Amino acid sequence: MIEKHYDAVVFGGGSAGLAAAVRIAGQGCSVAVLERENELGGILNQCIHNGFGIQRFKEDLTGPEYAERFIEMVEELDNVSIFLETTALEVTHGTPHSVFAYSKRYGVIKIECRAIVLAMGCRERNRGNIGIPGTRPAGVFTAGLAQRLINIDGYIPGRRAVILGSGDIGLIMARRLTWVGVEVLGVIEIQGYPSGLTRNIVQCLNDFNIPLYLSHTLSEIRGKDRVTGVTVTPLQDGKTVTAKSFDLDCDTILLSVGLIPDNELSRKFGVSLNPETGGPFVDAGLMSSVPGVFACGNVLHVHDLVDYVSEESERCASFVVEYLNGTYNPLLHHPIVSGANVKYVIPNKYLPGMTNRFYLRSLIVKNKAELVISLEGEPLKRKNLAHVQPSEMVSFSLDEQDLSRGSESREKKLEVSIY
Amino acid sequence: MKNNIYDVAVVGAGVVGASIARKLSAYACDTVILEKEWDVSFGVTKTNSGIIHGGFHYPTSTLKGRLEVLGNIMFDRLQQELHFPFRRCGILAAAFTIEEMKTIEKMYMQGVENKVIGLELCNRDRIHSLEPKLNPDVVGGLHAPSGGVIEPYHFVFSLIESAKKNGVELRTRFKVVKAEKRKGHFLIQAENGESLRARYLVNAAGLYADEVSAIFNAEHLQIKPLKGQEFLLDRNAAGLPGKVIFPVPSIVSKGILVIPTPEGTCMVGPTAIEQKDKEDLSTSQSNFATVFHSARRLIPKISERDIITSFAGLRPTLKGNDFYIAISEKQPELIQVAGIQSPGLTAAPAIGEYVKDLLKKAGLVLTERPDYDPFVDEIPRIRKLSPYEADALVQKEPAYGEIICRCESVSEAEIVSAIRQGHTTMDGIKFYTRAQMGRCQGGFCSYKILKILQRETGMSIEEITKRGLGSNLITDRVGGLAVKDPAAAPTGTEEVK
Amino acid sequence: MERKMVCISCPLGCRLTVTWEDENDIAVKGNKCAKGESYAQEEILAPKRVVTATVRAATGAVRRLPVKTNLPMLKGYIPALLNRIYKLELRPPIVRGQVLLKNIEGTGVDLVATRNLKKV
């Protein structure tokens, strides 16, 4: 068995893994990137639409363009080893951590390293997770799988489609299907508001007059071998109004009903997971409950812009380098928790004496909201937010000055609320 | 084959037909097994709960009670020969009241009478120490250590592979639609126009045993489907028990169970709802509450958050509720094997023996084949190997190093062997390898499997199906459909800056 | 006339109210920056979108090469453009940014590759 040693191993060569690898290697540490697919870039490769990089590069890029910028950076670094078509199946934490990575080319490689970056991304919720009743015919696809089939392989899964869920991938796919000649009969959303970005509603649905059925649910799938239709039922006060149900004759159903951080390997490391995000609990440096195991990107929590993923992953990488240099002290980190109307705040800890950046998701939909960070019930910082809704991630920072008052207090726990 | 006439045609390649065919393969006898679906095990067996029952549910006076006990003890040897996932994890029946304990005692006595080995009555402490995840309100119950779990479809795949190895012929997509009694044989015709001849016929057609019986002018049977819906839970589910957990049974069914599958996932169900349609496998939301309420009563940690998928199956029930396995009184060369619902899977190996004896009785001469080889090669499964064993394997066969299904750790080599065994639909590959069966339900691996299927079979992408005719997955290629002008959408002026 | 729309110039998504008597006099309300005003003007007069698609690759590491228009394209031209794109077939090597169709229908818009395609 081949054995290798690196300072850090990055699990996943998508947007998070690439950004982390570039930053870690840029600081002189040796890095291995393990990627399951036959190329770097992850899901960005199938996101051939534009809208990426506006924050990061101040340019409107497509997914492949955004990915290639990072791929080129990583390829220029000679202390990064890329392992394509390689899957880590067994891992054990310790000093050092060890990883057994499987590939056709090398067999099983045993890799030892001091730090791990979890950057495996997320997976899609599927029919089983949401329990749509009816038959089980061919023609039901998750939106991401359909996107992959169309954009990478050039395969069209059907001719008349209904999309369940108004998440961004579902919206993007409504346009993509239309643009390859598939008729999209409608997008069905159980909530009373769309869960994707507004610009996607405009460009992907309104442009093509595709109906968006808010507060509706898919109550039945029909068809023995292949989908022949669905029944759509409106909801009123959370209850289905069966009398107002209607049928759509489609041969294809795309599901865009949410993403789940893919933490199988994290579990094998013994990392403790946050039920709110589906990702690891992390401290201010994005280190999990297992020393030396860090997490960033969609494996940590589902982001709505890749630009945020890159930012978070680079930040994570800087702490990985500190860890490798022996200057990382998790004992100095203090907790920050969700207060009123907040689903989650990431990271779960802050470090006084530096600028801490946080991402949070709101539980409520509100215009002119206020974000309040408080210590022992006393507001420490306030921020006005023009509009909040669960589908749009909110970011904020706390700098040394904001946190200076906390250093005098005995109680260190911060609470974040939205009012 | 004498004059192109088979000695025996077995109709139905579910667990019953496969067990019979495999048994016959030990004898010098030309056997063909006929299946209407594209792959074996695609009927009733596919959705079986996969329990090897403990021999205490039915009295010795019933045929199913006797065959269940006989079948149960045959599985260890079968597994050594055929390598299917099987574990004698034990079965518990849990009682919540003193009243229920009385039923438990009856089942215990029934089991003892059936000569089941190792049955024990448990008090509260004993049952909770055997299964710590049980509801604390459970007051006691029955423990059947000989009970276990199996992958039913995999069992069938192995039986068929073994049967084929010993000369049995398999014809899939062969739906029997017409039969004629000729001199000394039946002429059997399929929907697709194919036909063949056989001297003896075994009707193991599951849900359609009544129709097959009618086609052969044998007994009038009436098979009524009894639907069962089940939920598959993630292997990380907190409620995953160590043993199969039964409630105290009702008259209709054995109740909602919690089943640890042999591959480490968890199953809850099944419901028991009578219906007419033999094709209707639809699931319903109302069953969800029934199943989870009952399952949580047994194991409170069972959670709907862990659901991977839900599916429904149909039990082929016959009036009288016992198995009907006999030489037809109207057609002395036909053996009826009908009404094989629970515990049919457990009883299947014993049914194989029983039907073989009936065929002898009906006049078929059976002599043992000197070259009979009961063993099939075990296909390595990457998830069962240590990294060191896996490395050695990949050095010899690189395709074992390419992990196609990340959720269930299935390699490319395993997919290829499924295809080479004749499993060329997406579901066939799923049941053979477990790829697409895990938590992502094929989201990450199906496009890779589609590619391998095209490469290995030469099929075009449009020809690949989920489970046979009509269940195609891809309709067109990009560029194959014209992009229409969305006339309704507002268009811009023709001015160009 | 009045139309409500959401500005998609940036992720902020300002909710605009656009009123006009004729095409020379378009009033925009609700925008937080100047982009909102020009967006609304364009949406009324000549709505444009960036088109992204894939082109068949004759040989190469990937089967389909992703492409985009380098500028937003008038909406009315898009279906015809897509049908034209799907008839193309490209031979690697292709470099990111390479122009594949120049000055489409005289609009001044080019179709460019959005990733590199190496020779195998």
Side-chain angles (χ1 to χ4, degrees), chain A residues 137-358:
Chain A
V140 184
F141 299 84
T142 54
L145 173 59
Q147 186 179 48
R148 148 97 213 186
L149 290 169
I150 295 174
N151 293 345
I152 306 273
D153 300 316
Y155 300 148
I156 300 179
R159 293 182 182 176
R160 288 167 65 81
V162 166
I163 299 173
L164 178 64
S166 62
D168 286 313
I169 314 167
L171 300 175
I172 294 288
M173 283 312 293
R175 177 176 61 188
R176 180 59 56 206
L177 288 170
T178 311
W179 276 358
V180 296
V182 179
E183 193 178 347
V184 180
L185 306 181
V187 174
I188 296 152
E189 171 59 54
I190 195 162
Q191 308 281 0
Y193 51 89
S195 55
L197 299 172
T198 313
R199 62 173 159 144
N200 288 334
I201 302 281
V202 174
Q203 289 192 330
C204 302
L205 301 187
N206 300 358
D207 269 10
F208 308 103
N209 289 341
I210 295 170
L212 171 60
Y213 299 100
L214 296 174
S215 301
H216 278 68
T217 182
L218 234 185
S219 50
E220 195 194 355
I221 294 177
R222 286 189 304 277
K224 183 177 172 281
D225 299 315
R226 174 86 195 192
V227 174
T228 56
V230 294
T231 303
V232 180
T233 307
L235 293 160
Q236 217 160 31
D237 307 321
K239 284 186 184 140
T240 50
V241 189
T242 318
K244 287 187 184 167
S245 292
F246 57 94
D247 292 348
L248 293 173
D249 292 329
C250 58
D251 64 4
T252 305
I253 301 163
L254 258 50
L255 304 176
S256 172
V257 287
L259 301 167
I260 309 169
D262 199 10
N263 276 286
E264 269 330 280
L265 282 167
S266 320
R267 277 199 185 85
K268 289 186 177 170
F269 273 117
V271 162
S272 62
L273 298 177
N274 181 350
E276 285 297 346
T277 56
F281 282 109
V282 286
D283 66 17
L286 304 180
M287 188 168 84
S288 73
S289 60
V290 177
V293 178
F294 294 75
C296 56
N298 282 351
V299 81
L300 179 58
H301 62 121
V302 177
H303 297 60
D304 32 61
L305 293 180
V306 70
D307 309 60
Y308 296 144
V309 169
S310 302
E311 182 281 319
E312 182 180 270
S313 306
E314 285 167 343
R315 185 153 43 90
C316 174
S318 306
F319 291 106
V320 171
V321 173
E322 275 188 30
Y323 180 86
L324 290 169
N325 292 338
T327 55
Y328 192 81
N329 186 355
L331 296 176
L332 301 175
H333 301 213
H334 303 301
I336 177 164
V337 300
S338 308
N341 303 321
V342 172
K343 179 162 170 62
Y344 68 76
V345 57
I346 283 284
N348 309 93
K349 289 188 176 178
Y350 68 96
L351 179 61
M354 69 163 197
T355 300
N356 292 261
R357 187 157 180 79
F358 298 93

Side-chain angles (χ1 to χ4, degrees), chain B residues 49-233:
Chain B
S49 305
I51 297 168
I52 299 307
H53 287 284
F56 54 82
H57 275 108
Y58 307 101
T60 319
S61 59
T62 61
L63 181 58
K64 62 172 156 182
R66 296 195 299 278
L67 292 176
E68 173 185 339
V69 177
L70 289 172
N72 176 303
I73 56 175
M74 293 165 80
F75 274 89
D76 302 273
R77 182 170 163 187
L78 283 168
Q79 190 193 25
Q80 283 175 15
E81 293 170 350
L82 303 175
H83 323 288
F84 47 84
F86 165 61
R87 206 153 46 89
R88 284 199 194 274
C89 56
I91 291 174
L92 292 177
F96 284 84
T97 60
I98 302 299
E99 279 304 303
E100 286 194 341
M101 272 312 280
K102 284 183 185 154
T103 314
I104 293 279
E105 278 168 42
K106 265 186 219 156
M107 292 197 296
Y108 172 78
M109 290 312 294
Q110 205 158 267
V112 169
E113 201 180 315
N114 288 345
K115 301 195 172 62
V116 175
I117 301 162
L119 275 185
E120 52 174 298
L121 280 172
C122 306
N123 73 356
R124 183 191 288 267
D125 287 350
R126 173 69 177 161
I127 200 161
H128 287 283
S129 76
L130 286 169
E131 183 49 71
K133 289 180 182 172
L134 275 181
N135 186 336
D137 293 343
V138 169
V139 297
L142 181 65
H143 177 213
S146 66
V149 287
I150 188 176
E151 262 193 9
Y153 31 83
H154 212 113
F155 179 45
V156 175
F157 294 159
S158 304
L159 287 166
I160 293 288
E161 188 184 339
S162 170
K164 277 161 72 179
K165 185 177 175 183
N166 290 294
V168 171
E169 211 178 302
L170 168 70
R171 303 275 279 270
T172 52
R173 297 179 230 178
F174 194 107
K175 184 183 177 185
V176 177
V177 287
K178 209 177 152 199
E180 274 173 55
K181 190 72 188 275
R182 295 277 175 88
K183 200 176 160 190
H185 67 264
F186 295 103
L187 174 66
I188 305 163
Q189 292 184 318
E191 196 176 45
N192 61 11
E194 290 176 31
S195 69
L196 53 83
R197 295 183 288 171
R199 291 165 55 220
Y200 289 87
L201 192 105
V202 177
N203 175 13
L207 282 167
Y208 302 91
D210 48 359
E211 291 173 30
V212 169
S213 187
I215 289 169
F216 284 86
N217 280 320
E219 281 76 3
H220 172 75
L221 305 175
Q222 198 183 2
I223 303 284
K224 284 186 178 166
L226 182 67
K227 188 187 270 186
Q229 186 176 341
E230 310 222 36
F231 292 82
L232 182 69
L233 310 186

Side-chain angles (χ1 to χ4, degrees), chain C:
Chain C
M1 279 204 275
E2 186 180 291
R3 210 165 111 192
K4 294 207 185 286
M5 60 175 76
V6 181
C7 176
I8 54 172
S9 307
C10 81
L12 214 57
C14 292
R15 286 151 176 80
L16 311 178
T17 308
V18 192
T19 44
W20 70 99
E21 294 299 326
D22 63 80
E23 290 181 355
N24 299 318
D25 183 24
I26 296 173
V28 184
K29 271 190 228 160
N31 52 317
K32 292 194 183 71
C33 73
K35 279 186 199 161
E37 196 156 328
S38 55
Y39 172 80
Q41 299 253 4
E42 195 170 278
E43 274 302 279
I44 300 298
L45 297 173
K48 289 175 186 167
R49 298 288 183 260
V50 169
V51 178
T52 61
T54 60
V55 176
R56 188 149 30 113
T59 53
V62 290
R63 260 181 282 178
R64 298 200 67 90
L65 178 80
V67 296
K68 70 171 183 186
T69 54
N70 65 337
L71 294 167
M73 183 84 187
L74 278 169
K75 272 165 86 176
Y77 285 91
I78 292 175
L81 172 61
L82 285 165
N83 288 323
R84 189 173 163 198
I85 288 173
Y86 297 142
K87 289 196 180 74
L88 296 174
E89 186 174 83
L90 297 168
R91 286 191 180 281
I94 305 273
V95 292
R96 187 169 80 238
Q98 187 174 326
V99 175
L100 307 170
L101 292 176
K102 195 146 182 68
N103 191 17
I104 304 158
E105 306 285 332
T107 55
V109 179
D110 298 340
L111 187 75
V112 298
T114 58
R115 69 175 287 178
N116 299 318
L117 186 58
K118 288 182 194 136
K119 250 186 168 156
V120 251

Side-chain angles (χ1 to χ4, degrees), chain A residues 7-19:
Chain A
D7 292 323
V9 172
V10 177
F11 287 7
S15 47
L18 287 171

Side-chain angles (χ1 to χ4, degrees), chain A residues 126 136 140-141 145, chain B residues 232 308-309 383 404-410 415 418 423-450 453 464-467 473:
Chain A
N126 53 51
R136 297 165 54 75
V140 184
F141 299 84
L145 173 59
Chain B
L232 182 69
I308 289 177
T309 187
R383 65 179 173 280
I404 300 294
C405 165
R406 57 171 83 166
C407 304
E408 297 292 308
S409 303
V410 181
I415 310 272
H423 307 295
T424 53
T425 64
M426 293 299 275
D427 275 4
I429 290 172
K430 173 165 84 176
F431 291 124
Y432 189 87
T433 64
R434 295 188 68 75
Q436 318 163 67
M437 209 179 264
R439 60 183 66 84
C440 90
Q441 290 283 290
F444 285 125
C445 64
S446 44
Y447 60 86
K448 294 183 179 181
I449 298 171
L450 289 171
L453 253 173
I464 295 175
T465 65
K466 180 171 159 64
R467 54 171 171 255
L473 291 156

Side-chain angles (χ1 to χ4, degrees), chain A residues 1 36-37 85 87 89-90 100 102-104 106-108 110 122-123 126-129 131-138 141 145 148-150 153-159 178-182 207 209 224-226 262 264 267 275, chain B residues 236 279 282-285 305 307-311 382 387-388 390-391 394-395 398 401-403 406 409 412 439-441 443-444 446-448 450-451 454 461 466-467 469-478 481-483 488-489:
Chain A
M1 184 181 287
R36 289 168 170 136
E37 297 293 325
E85 296 180 294
T87 305
L89 282 189
E90 295 302 325
F100 290 99
Y102 290 52
S103 74
K104 238 179 185 169
Y106 301 107
V108 183
K110 184 179 184 186
C122 54
R123 66 187 153 89
N126 53 51
R127 179 176 179 185
N129 302 134
I132 312 166
T135 55
R136 297 165 54 75
F141 299 84
L145 173 59
R148 148 97 213 186
L149 290 169
I150 295 174
D153 300 316
Y155 300 148
I156 300 179
R159 293 182 182 176
T178 311
W179 276 358
V180 296
V182 179
D207 269 10
N209 289 341
K224 183 177 172 281
D225 299 315
R226 174 86 195 192
D262 199 10
E264 269 330 280
R267 277 199 185 85
Chain B
N236 295 320
E279 303 273 309
S282 62
T283 56
S284 111
Q285 195 60 25
R305 280 181 65 131
I307 299 174
I308 289 177
T309 187
S310 177
F311 55 86
I382 210 79
Y388 293 91
D391 185 50
V394 180
Q395 299 308 333
E402 174 78 9
I403 306 301
R406 57 171 83 166
S409 303
E412 182 182 346
R439 60 183 66 84
C440 90
Q441 290 283 290
F444 285 125
S446 44
Y447 60 86
K448 294 183 179 181
L450 289 171
K451 202 171 279 179
Q454 289 178 82
I461 189 72
K466 180 171 159 64
R467 54 171 171 255
L469 198 68
S471 64
N472 304 60
L473 291 156
I474 302 293
T475 58
D476 298 275
R477 316 262 175 132
V478 170
L481 300 175
V483 183

